[in-house]
Amino acid sequence: LRIGCRHDGMDDHPDRGLVANPSATLYCLRRAVAAAPANRAREPGVTEPRRYLVVADSDSRLQWALQVGRTLAVAGYQGDVALIRSPLNPSAQQLSDFGLTTAPRYGALEELAGLACCGEASVLILGLMGPALGKFLARLRQQVSERRPKRRPLLVSGYWGITGVRDVEGLLWRLGCDVICINNRHDQEAFGRILADCGRDTALLVPTGFLLGQPEPAGRRDSGPPKTVVFVGQPNIPRTRFAKAYLLHHLVEYANQHPGRRLELKPRMRPGERATHREGFSLESLCRERREPLPANLAFEYGAMAPILRRADLVLTISSAAAIEAWAHGRRVELISDFGVDDTLANAFFVGSNA
């Protein structure tokens, strides 16, 4: 596979601000919470409850919303989690992988909009996108108009994963929120120009960086041949069956050429689970079609990303945001470029990163 020419991971470009510093992220969020119109309209002397409510529908959106909530928890906020019933809902095992110790509340969109309107939460973190987000915001506005609560929650949305700065539609869906969390300063500037052209306030864009929790590097591994190599897959990249089969063929070939290295394939989800993006051709299904057995040093791994990264020496991917997480853990990162470099593959973001 054609991969980056360097083995020392991605550079931390100052103009990108990729990895969230917990203290800086908390500062940005708290400042945005205090300055948002929903809070400026509070009656003087009214004490706001420090509670948040996460509302999401799928795996990656829920993971992002949970990280925002955990950031607010540092400031003393307590929170609850609710999922809009959907075929995309994460499995019980996925919820455990995300660190949830109690079962979330499930409900229809209208039901959860009512809960957000008249519940105890002062901050509503929306892990929703597209029509689902638009419908939820419309229903919430209707609930607020009909019930006339003394206050409404602050509405927080944002971007998870690698963002395409041409995604104007995604930005417009989020404009009904008070705060839009942005992954890096480059995206903030690009989206800011779009908002300015539309005559909208750019202050609602809050640069939080990629919310990765608290990476715990076990010492950098920047030199020497790797012993454990992890490939992080993506449900819809590459898109075609031929491309996925090509990818699997070369991963198997790599394992055969390096019998002293362990190659771990880390799909987004286990067989039978759902993800935000639909997967048409999984690596597992393509493996079952093979006539030859898989190499003994190749295995599929599932579950939370952090434990897998801790034992990895080298991380391969096409364009997963796990590349950012691996880099934050001090791991070498290389990007597979066999399928080209463009926005449809979401890897144009990494150009100039030395990965």
Side-chain angles (χ1 to χ4, degrees), residues 107-194:
L109 185 147
E110 293 78 7
E111 177 188 350
L112 297 186
L115 175 66
C117 171
C118 298
E120 297 180 352
S122 58
V123 178
L124 181 60
I125 306 170
L126 297 173
L128 303 171
M129 184 48 206
L133 177 58
K135 291 178 182 178
F136 187 90
L137 292 175
R139 184 56 177 160
L140 179 60
R141 284 194 296 268
Q142 181 181 357
Q143 293 272 359
V144 170
S145 176
E146 293 175 354
R147 300 189 182 188
R148 297 187 176 277
K150 293 183 179 180
R151 57 174 177 80
R152 75 159 175 85
L154 177 85
L155 307 179
V156 178
S157 183
Y159 286 90
W160 39 88
I162 305 300
T163 303
V165 294
R166 297 178 183 177
D167 184 16
V168 179
E169 179 186 0
L171 179 63
L172 295 178
W173 281 119
R174 294 173 169 90
L175 284 183
C177 297
D178 301 299
V179 175
I180 301 177
C181 299
I182 302 296
N183 290 332
N184 57 79
R185 287 186 288 273
H186 174 269
D187 289 358
Q188 182 190 18
E189 293 170 0
F191 286 130
R193 288 191 293 269
I194 295 173

Coordinates of all heavy atoms in Angstrom, one line a residue, residues 107-194:
G107 N -36.5 7.3 23.5 CA -37.8 7.9 23.2 C -37.9 8.4 21.8 O -36.9 8.5 21.1
A108 N -39.2 8.7 21.4 CA -39.4 9.3 20.1 C -38.9 10.8 20.1 O -38.7 11.4 21.2 CB -40.9 9.3 19.8
L109 N -38.7 11.3 18.9 CA -38.2 12.7 18.8 C -39.0 13.7 19.5 O -38.5 14.5 20.3 CB -38.1 13.0 17.3 CG -37.4 14.4 16.9 CD1 -36.7 14.2 15.6 CD2 -38.5 15.5 16.8
E110 N -40.4 13.6 19.4 CA -41.3 14.5 20.0 C -41.2 14.4 21.5 O -41.2 15.4 22.2 CB -42.7 14.3 19.5 CG -43.0 14.6 18.1 CD -42.4 13.5 17.2 OE1 -42.0 12.4 17.7 OE2 -42.4 13.7 15.9
E111 N -41.1 13.2 22.0 CA -41.0 13.0 23.5 C -39.7 13.6 24.1 O -39.8 14.3 25.1 CB -41.0 11.5 23.8 CG -40.8 11.1 25.3 CD -40.7 9.6 25.5 OE1 -40.9 8.9 24.5 OE2 -40.4 9.3 26.6
L112 N -38.6 13.4 23.4 CA -37.3 14.0 23.9 C -37.3 15.5 23.8 O -36.6 16.1 24.6 CB -36.2 13.3 23.3 CG -36.0 11.8 23.5 CD1 -34.8 11.2 22.9 CD2 -36.1 11.4 25.0
A113 N -37.9 16.0 22.8 CA -38.0 17.5 22.6 C -38.8 18.1 23.8 O -38.4 19.1 24.3 CB -38.6 17.9 21.3
G114 N -39.8 17.4 24.2 CA -40.6 17.9 25.4 C -39.7 17.8 26.7 O -39.8 18.7 27.5
L115 N -38.9 16.7 26.8 CA -38.1 16.5 27.9 C -37.0 17.7 28.0 O -36.7 18.2 29.0 CB -37.4 15.2 27.9 CG -36.3 14.9 28.9 CD1 -36.9 14.8 30.3 CD2 -35.6 13.6 28.6
A116 N -36.5 18.0 26.8 CA -35.5 19.1 26.7 C -36.1 20.4 27.1 O -35.4 21.3 27.7 CB -34.9 19.1 25.3
C117 N -37.3 20.6 26.7 CA -38.0 21.9 26.9 C -38.3 22.1 28.4 O -38.0 23.2 28.9 CB -39.3 21.9 26.1 SG -40.4 23.4 26.5
C118 N -38.8 21.2 29.1 CA -39.2 21.4 30.5 C -38.5 20.6 31.5 O -38.9 20.4 32.6 CB -40.7 21.0 30.5 SG -41.8 22.1 29.5
G119 N -37.3 20.0 31.1 CA -36.6 19.2 32.0 C -35.6 20.1 32.9 O -35.7 21.3 32.8
E120 N -34.7 19.5 33.6 CA -33.8 20.2 34.5 C -32.6 20.7 33.8 O -31.8 21.5 34.4 CB -33.4 19.3 35.7 CG -34.6 18.9 36.5 CD -34.2 18.0 37.7 OE1 -33.0 17.6 37.7 OE2 -35.0 17.7 38.6
A121 N -32.3 20.2 32.6 CA -31.0 20.5 32.0 C -30.9 22.0 31.5 O -31.9 22.5 30.9 CB -30.8 19.6 30.7
S122 N -29.8 22.6 31.8 CA -29.6 24.0 31.3 C -28.8 24.0 30.1 O -28.7 25.0 29.4 CB -28.8 24.8 32.4 OG -27.6 24.2 32.7
V123 N -28.1 22.8 29.7 CA -27.4 22.7 28.5 C -27.9 21.5 27.8 O -27.9 20.4 28.3 CB -25.9 22.6 28.7 CG1 -25.1 22.5 27.4 CG2 -25.4 23.9 29.5
L124 N -28.2 21.6 26.5 CA -28.7 20.5 25.7 C -27.6 20.2 24.6 O -27.3 21.1 23.8 CB -30.0 20.8 25.0 CG -30.7 19.8 24.2 CD1 -30.9 18.5 25.0 CD2 -32.0 20.3 23.6
I125 N -27.0 19.1 24.7 CA -25.9 18.7 23.7 C -26.5 17.8 22.7 O -27.0 16.7 23.0 CB -24.8 18.0 24.4 CG1 -24.2 18.8 25.6 CG2 -23.6 17.7 23.4 CD1 -23.3 18.1 26.5
L126 N -26.6 18.2 21.4 CA -27.3 17.5 20.4 C -26.3 16.8 19.4 O -25.6 17.4 18.6 CB -28.1 18.5 19.5 CG -29.2 19.3 20.3 CD1 -29.8 20.4 19.5 CD2 -30.2 18.3 20.8
G127 N -26.3 15.5 19.6 CA -25.5 14.6 18.7 C -26.4 14.2 17.6 O -26.7 12.9 17.4
L128 N -27.0 15.1 16.8 CA -27.9 14.8 15.7 C -27.4 15.6 14.5 O -26.6 16.5 14.6 CB -29.3 15.3 16.1 CG -29.9 14.7 17.3 CD1 -31.2 15.4 17.6 CD2 -30.2 13.2 17.1
M129 N -27.9 15.2 13.3 CA -27.5 15.8 12.1 C -28.6 15.8 11.1 O -29.5 14.9 11.2 CB -26.2 15.2 11.6 CG -25.6 15.8 10.3 SD -25.5 17.6 10.6 CE -25.6 18.2 8.9
G130 N -28.5 16.7 10.1 CA -29.4 16.7 9.0 C -30.9 16.8 9.4 O -31.2 17.6 10.3
P131 N -31.8 16.2 8.7 CA -33.2 16.3 8.9 C -33.6 16.0 10.4 O -34.5 16.6 10.9 CB -33.9 15.3 8.0 CG -32.9 15.2 6.9 CD -31.6 15.3 7.5
A132 N -32.9 15.0 11.0 CA -33.2 14.7 12.4 C -33.0 15.9 13.3 O -33.8 16.2 14.2 CB -32.4 13.5 12.9
L133 N -31.9 16.6 13.1 CA -31.6 17.8 13.9 C -32.6 18.9 13.6 O -33.1 19.6 14.5 CB -30.2 18.3 13.6 CG -29.7 19.6 14.3 CD1 -29.8 19.5 15.8 CD2 -28.3 20.0 13.9
G134 N -32.9 19.1 12.3 CA -33.9 20.1 11.9 C -35.3 19.9 12.6 O -35.9 20.8 13.1
K135 N -35.7 18.6 12.5 CA -37.0 18.2 13.1 C -37.0 18.4 14.6 O -38.0 18.9 15.2 CB -37.4 16.8 12.8 CG -37.7 16.6 11.3 CD -38.0 15.1 11.0 CE -38.2 14.9 9.5 NZ -38.5 13.5 9.2
F136 N -35.9 18.0 15.2 CA -35.8 18.2 16.7 C -35.9 19.7 17.1 O -36.6 20.0 18.0 CB -34.5 17.5 17.2 CG -34.4 17.5 18.7 CD1 -34.9 16.4 19.4 CD2 -33.9 18.6 19.4 CE1 -34.9 16.4 20.8 CE2 -33.8 18.6 20.8 CZ -34.3 17.5 21.5
L137 N -35.1 20.5 16.4 CA -35.1 21.9 16.8 C -36.5 22.6 16.5 O -36.9 23.4 17.3 CB -34.0 22.7 16.0 CG -32.6 22.3 16.3 CD1 -31.6 23.0 15.3 CD2 -32.3 22.7 17.7
A138 N -37.1 22.2 15.4 CA -38.5 22.7 15.1 C -39.5 22.3 16.2 O -40.3 23.1 16.7 CB -38.9 22.2 13.8
R139 N -39.4 21.0 16.6 CA -40.3 20.5 17.7 C -40.0 21.2 19.0 O -40.9 21.5 19.8 CB -40.2 19.0 17.8 CG -41.1 18.4 18.8 CD -42.5 18.7 18.5 NE -43.5 18.0 19.4 CZ -44.7 18.4 19.6 NH1 -45.2 19.4 18.9 NH2 -45.5 17.7 20.4
L140 N -38.7 21.4 19.3 CA -38.3 22.1 20.5 C -38.8 23.5 20.6 O -39.4 24.0 21.6 CB -36.8 22.1 20.7 CG -36.3 22.8 22.0 CD1 -36.8 22.1 23.2 CD2 -34.7 22.7 22.0
R141 N -38.7 24.2 19.4 CA -39.2 25.6 19.4 C -40.8 25.6 19.6 O -41.3 26.5 20.3 CB -38.9 26.2 18.0 CG -37.5 26.7 17.8 CD -37.3 27.5 16.6 NE -37.6 26.8 15.4 CZ -36.6 26.2 14.7 NH1 -35.4 26.2 15.1 NH2 -36.9 25.6 13.6
Q142 N -41.4 24.6 19.0 CA -42.9 24.5 19.2 C -43.2 24.3 20.7 O -44.2 24.9 21.2 CB -43.4 23.4 18.3 CG -44.9 23.3 18.4 CD -45.5 22.1 17.6 OE1 -44.7 21.5 16.8 NE2 -46.7 21.8 17.6
Q143 N -42.5 23.4 21.3 CA -42.7 23.1 22.7 C -42.5 24.3 23.6 O -43.3 24.6 24.5 CB -41.8 22.0 23.2 CG -42.1 20.6 22.5 CD -43.1 19.8 23.3 OE1 -43.6 20.3 24.4 NE2 -43.4 18.6 22.8
V144 N -41.4 25.1 23.3 CA -41.1 26.3 24.1 C -42.2 27.3 23.9 O -42.7 28.0 24.8 CB -39.8 26.9 23.7 CG1 -39.6 28.3 24.3 CG2 -38.6 25.9 24.1
S145 N -42.7 27.4 22.6 CA -43.8 28.4 22.4 C -45.1 28.0 23.1 O -45.8 28.9 23.6 CB -44.0 28.5 20.8 OG -45.1 29.3 20.5
E146 N -45.4 26.7 23.1 CA -46.7 26.3 23.7 C -46.6 26.3 25.2 O -47.5 26.7 25.9 CB -47.0 24.9 23.2 CG -47.4 24.9 21.7 CD -47.6 23.5 21.2 OE1 -47.4 22.5 22.0 OE2 -48.0 23.3 20.0
R147 N -45.5 25.8 25.8 CA -45.4 25.6 27.2 C -44.9 26.8 28.0 O -45.1 26.9 29.2 CB -44.5 24.4 27.5 CG -45.1 23.1 26.9 CD -44.3 21.9 27.5 NE -44.7 20.6 26.9 CZ -44.3 19.4 27.3 NH1 -43.4 19.4 28.3 NH2 -44.7 18.4 26.7
R148 N -44.2 27.7 27.3 CA -43.6 28.9 27.8 C -42.8 28.6 29.1 O -43.2 29.2 30.2 CB -44.7 29.9 28.1 CG -45.3 30.4 26.8 CD -46.3 31.5 27.0 NE -46.9 32.0 25.8 CZ -46.3 32.9 24.9 NH1 -45.1 33.3 25.3 NH2 -46.8 33.3 23.8
P149 N -41.8 27.8 29.1 CA -41.0 27.6 30.3 C -40.3 28.8 30.8 O -40.1 29.8 29.9 CB -40.0 26.5 29.9 CG -39.9 26.6 28.5 CD -41.3 27.1 28.0
K150 N -39.9 28.9 32.0 CA -39.2 30.1 32.5 C -37.8 30.2 31.8 O -37.3 31.3 31.8 CB -39.0 30.0 34.0 CG -40.3 30.1 34.8 CD -40.0 30.0 36.3 CE -41.3 30.1 37.1 NZ -41.0 30.1 38.6
R151 N -37.3 29.2 31.3 CA -36.0 29.2 30.6 C -36.0 28.1 29.6 O -36.8 27.2 29.7 CB -34.8 29.0 31.6 CG -35.0 27.6 32.4 CD -33.8 27.3 33.2 NE -34.0 26.1 34.0 CZ -33.8 24.9 33.4 NH1 -33.5 24.7 32.2 NH2 -34.0 23.8 34.2
R152 N -35.1 28.2 28.6 CA -34.9 27.1 27.7 C -33.4 26.8 27.8 O -32.6 27.6 28.2 CB -35.2 27.5 26.3 CG -34.2 28.5 25.6 CD -34.4 28.4 24.1 NE -33.6 29.3 23.4 CZ -32.3 29.1 23.0 NH1 -31.7 28.0 23.4 NH2 -31.6 30.0 22.3
P153 N -33.1 25.5 27.5 CA -31.7 25.1 27.6 C -30.8 25.7 26.5 O -31.3 26.1 25.4 CB -31.7 23.6 27.5 CG -33.0 23.4 26.6 CD -33.9 24.4 27.1
L154 N -29.5 25.9 26.8 CA -28.6 26.3 25.8 C -28.4 25.1 24.8 O -28.2 24.0 25.2 CB -27.2 26.6 26.5 CG -26.1 27.0 25.5 CD1 -26.2 28.5 25.2 CD2 -24.8 26.7 26.1
L155 N -28.4 25.4 23.5 CA -28.3 24.4 22.5 C -26.9 24.3 21.9 O -26.4 25.3 21.4 CB -29.3 24.7 21.4 CG -30.8 24.9 21.8 CD1 -31.6 25.2 20.6 CD2 -31.3 23.7 22.6
V156 N -26.3 23.1 22.1 CA -24.9 22.9 21.6 C -24.9 21.8 20.6 O -25.4 20.7 20.8 CB -24.0 22.5 22.8 CG1 -22.6 22.2 22.3 CG2 -24.0 23.6 23.9
S157 N -24.3 22.1 19.4 CA -24.1 21.1 18.4 C -22.6 21.2 18.0 O -21.9 21.9 18.6 CB -25.0 21.4 17.2 OG -24.8 20.4 16.2
G158 N -22.2 20.5 17.0 CA -20.9 20.5 16.6 C -20.5 19.5 15.5 O -21.4 18.8 15.0
Y159 N -19.2 19.4 15.3 CA -18.7 18.4 14.3 C -17.9 17.3 14.9 O -17.2 17.6 15.8 CB -17.9 19.2 13.3 CG -18.7 20.0 12.3 CD1 -18.9 21.4 12.6 CD2 -19.1 19.5 11.1 CE1 -19.7 22.2 11.8 CE2 -19.9 20.3 10.2 CZ -20.1 21.6 10.6 OH -20.8 22.4 9.7
W160 N -18.2 16.1 14.5 CA -17.4 15.0 14.9 C -16.7 14.4 13.7 O -17.2 14.4 12.6 CB -18.3 13.9 15.5 CG -19.6 13.8 14.8 CD1 -19.9 13.0 13.7 CD2 -20.8 14.5 15.0 NE1 -21.1 13.1 13.2 CE2 -21.8 14.1 14.0 CE3 -21.2 15.5 15.9 CZ2 -23.0 14.6 13.9 CZ3 -22.5 16.0 15.8 CH2 -23.4 15.6 14.8
G161 N -15.5 13.9 13.9 CA -14.7 13.3 12.8 C -14.1 14.4 12.0 O -14.1 15.6 12.3
I162 N -13.6 14.0 10.8 CA -13.0 14.9 9.8 C -14.1 15.6 9.1 O -15.1 15.1 8.6 CB -12.2 14.1 8.8 CG1 -11.1 13.3 9.5 CG2 -11.5 15.1 7.8 CD1 -10.2 14.0 10.4
T163 N -14.0 16.9 9.1 CA -15.0 17.8 8.5 C -14.7 18.3 7.1 O -13.5 18.7 6.9 CB -15.2 19.0 9.4 OG1 -15.6 18.6 10.7 CG2 -16.4 19.9 8.9
G164 N -15.6 18.3 6.2 CA -15.4 18.9 4.9 C -15.9 20.3 4.9 O -17.0 20.6 5.2
V165 N -15.0 21.2 4.7 CA -15.3 22.7 4.9 C -16.3 23.1 3.8 O -16.8 24.2 3.8 CB -14.1 23.6 4.9 CG1 -13.2 23.3 6.1 CG2 -13.2 23.3 3.6
R166 N -16.5 22.3 2.8 CA -17.5 22.6 1.8 C -18.9 22.1 2.2 O -19.9 22.3 1.4 CB -17.2 21.9 0.4 CG -15.8 22.4 -0.1 CD -15.5 21.7 -1.4 NE -14.2 22.1 -2.0 CZ -13.7 21.6 -3.0 NH1 -14.3 20.6 -3.7 NH2 -12.5 22.0 -3.5
D167 N -19.0 21.5 3.4 CA -20.3 21.0 3.9 C -21.2 22.2 4.4 O -21.4 22.3 5.5 CB -20.0 20.0 5.0 CG -21.3 19.4 5.5 OD1 -22.3 19.5 4.7 OD2 -21.3 18.8 6.6
V168 N -21.6 23.0 3.4 CA -22.5 24.1 3.8 C -23.8 23.7 4.3 O -24.4 24.2 5.3 CB -22.7 25.1 2.6 CG1 -23.6 26.2 2.9 CG2 -21.3 25.5 2.0
E169 N -24.4 22.6 3.8 CA -25.6 22.1 4.2 C -25.6 21.7 5.7 O -26.5 22.0 6.5 CB -26.1 20.9 3.4 CG -27.4 20.3 3.9 CD -27.7 19.0 3.1 OE1 -27.0 18.5 2.3 OE2 -28.8 18.4 3.4
G170 N -24.5 21.0 6.1 CA -24.3 20.6 7.5 C -24.3 21.8 8.4 O -24.8 21.7 9.5
L171 N -23.6 22.8 8.0 CA -23.5 24.0 8.8 C -24.9 24.7 8.9 O -25.3 25.1 10.0 CB -22.5 25.0 8.1 CG -22.3 26.4 8.9 CD1 -21.8 26.1 10.2 CD2 -21.4 27.3 8.0
L172 N -25.7 24.7 7.8 CA -27.0 25.3 7.9 C -27.9 24.6 8.8 O -28.7 25.2 9.5 CB -27.6 25.4 6.5 CG -26.8 26.3 5.5 CD1 -27.5 26.3 4.1 CD2 -26.7 27.8 6.0
W173 N -27.8 23.3 8.8 CA -28.7 22.5 9.8 C -28.4 22.9 11.2 O -29.3 22.9 12.1 CB -28.4 21.0 9.6 CG -29.1 20.4 8.4 CD1 -28.5 19.7 7.4 CD2 -30.5 20.2 8.2 NE1 -29.4 19.3 6.5 CE2 -30.7 19.6 7.0 CE3 -31.6 20.7 8.9 CZ2 -31.9 19.3 6.4 CZ3 -32.9 20.4 8.3 CH2 -33.0 19.7 7.1
R174 N -27.1 23.2 11.5 CA -26.7 23.5 12.9 C -27.0 25.0 13.3 O -26.8 25.3 14.5 CB -25.3 23.2 13.1 CG -24.9 21.8 12.9 CD -23.4 21.5 13.0 NE -23.0 20.1 13.1 CZ -22.8 19.3 12.1 NH1 -23.0 19.8 10.8 NH2 -22.5 18.0 12.3
L175 N -27.5 25.8 12.4 CA -27.6 27.2 12.7 C -28.7 27.5 13.7 O -28.8 28.6 14.3 CB -27.9 28.0 11.4 CG -26.7 28.3 10.5 CD1 -27.0 29.1 9.4 CD2 -25.5 28.9 11.3
G176 N -29.5 26.6 14.0 CA -30.6 26.8 15.1 C -30.0 26.7 16.5 O -30.8 26.9 17.4
C177 N -28.7 26.3 16.6 CA -28.1 26.2 17.9 C -27.4 27.4 18.4 O -27.1 28.3 17.6 CB -27.1 25.0 17.9 SG -27.9 23.4 17.5
D178 N -27.2 27.5 19.7 CA -26.5 28.7 20.3 C -25.0 28.5 20.1 O -24.3 29.5 20.1 CB -26.8 28.8 21.8 CG -28.3 29.0 22.0 OD1 -28.9 30.0 21.5 OD2 -28.9 28.1 22.7
V179 N -24.5 27.3 20.1 CA -23.0 27.0 20.1 C -22.8 25.9 19.1 O -23.5 24.9 19.1 CB -22.5 26.6 21.5 CG1 -21.0 26.2 21.4 CG2 -22.6 27.7 22.5
I180 N -21.8 26.1 18.2 CA -21.4 25.0 17.3 C -19.9 24.8 17.5 O -19.1 25.6 17.3 CB -21.6 25.5 15.8 CG1 -23.1 25.8 15.5 CG2 -21.1 24.3 14.9 CD1 -23.3 26.3 14.1
C181 N -19.6 23.6 18.0 CA -18.2 23.2 18.4 C -17.5 22.9 17.1 O -18.0 22.0 16.3 CB -18.2 22.1 19.3 SG -19.0 22.4 20.9
I182 N -16.3 23.5 16.9 CA -15.5 23.3 15.7 C -14.2 22.5 16.1 O -13.6 22.8 17.1 CB -15.2 24.6 15.0 CG1 -16.5 25.3 14.7 CG2 -14.4 24.4 13.8 CD1 -17.4 24.6 13.7
N183 N -13.8 21.6 15.2 CA -12.6 20.8 15.5 C -11.3 21.5 15.5 O -10.4 21.0 16.1 CB -12.6 19.6 14.5 CG -13.7 18.6 14.8 OD1 -14.2 18.5 15.9 ND2 -14.1 17.9 13.7
N184 N -11.2 22.5 14.6 CA -9.9 23.2 14.5 C -10.0 24.6 14.0 O -11.1 24.9 13.4 CB -8.9 22.3 13.6 CG -9.5 22.1 12.2 OD1 -9.5 23.0 11.4 ND2 -10.1 20.9 12.0
R185 N -9.0 25.3 14.1 CA -9.1 26.8 13.7 C -9.2 27.0 12.2 O -9.8 27.9 11.7 CB -7.9 27.5 14.2 CG -7.9 27.7 15.7 CD -6.8 28.6 16.2 NE -5.5 27.9 16.2 CZ -5.1 27.1 17.2 NH1 -5.8 27.0 18.3 NH2 -3.9 26.6 17.1
H186 N -8.7 26.0 11.4 CA -8.8 26.1 10.0 C -10.3 26.0 9.6 O -10.8 26.8 8.8 CB -8.0 25.0 9.3 CG -8.3 24.9 7.8 ND1 -9.2 24.1 7.2 CD2 -7.6 25.5 6.8 CE1 -9.2 24.3 5.9 NE2 -8.2 25.1 5.6
D187 N -11.0 25.0 10.2 CA -12.5 24.9 9.9 C -13.2 26.1 10.4 O -14.2 26.6 9.8 CB -13.0 23.6 10.5 CG -12.5 22.4 9.8 OD1 -11.8 22.5 8.8 OD2 -12.8 21.2 10.2
Q188 N -12.8 26.6 11.6 CA -13.5 27.8 12.2 C -13.4 29.0 11.2 O -14.4 29.7 11.0 CB -12.9 28.1 13.5 CG -13.6 29.3 14.2 CD -12.8 29.8 15.4 OE1 -11.6 29.6 15.5 NE2 -13.5 30.6 16.2
E189 N -12.3 29.2 10.6 CA -12.1 30.3 9.7 C -12.9 30.1 8.4 O -13.6 31.0 7.9 CB -10.6 30.5 9.3 CG -9.8 31.0 10.5 CD -8.3 30.9 10.2 OE1 -8.0 30.5 9.0 OE2 -7.5 31.3 11.1
A190 N -12.9 28.8 7.9 CA -13.7 28.5 6.7 C -15.2 28.7 6.9 O -15.9 29.3 6.1 CB -13.4 27.1 6.2
F191 N -15.7 28.1 8.0 CA -17.1 28.2 8.3 C -17.5 29.7 8.7 O -18.6 30.1 8.4 CB -17.5 27.3 9.4 CG -17.6 25.8 8.9 CD1 -16.9 24.8 9.7 CD2 -18.3 25.5 7.8 CE1 -17.0 23.5 9.3 CE2 -18.3 24.1 7.4 CZ -17.7 23.2 8.1
G192 N -16.5 30.4 9.3 CA -16.8 31.8 9.7 C -17.0 32.6 8.4 O -17.9 33.5 8.4
R193 N -16.3 32.3 7.4 CA -16.5 33.1 6.1 C -17.8 32.8 5.5 O -18.5 33.7 5.0 CB -15.3 32.7 5.1 CG -14.0 33.3 5.5 CD -13.0 33.2 4.4 NE -12.7 31.8 4.1 CZ -11.6 31.2 4.7 NH1 -10.9 31.8 5.6 NH2 -11.4 29.9 4.4
I194 N -18.3 31.6 5.6 CA -19.6 31.2 5.1 C -20.7 31.9 5.9 O -21.6 32.5 5.3 CB -19.8 29.7 5.1 CG1 -18.8 29.0 4.2 CG2 -21.2 29.3 4.8 CD1 -18.8 27.5 4.3

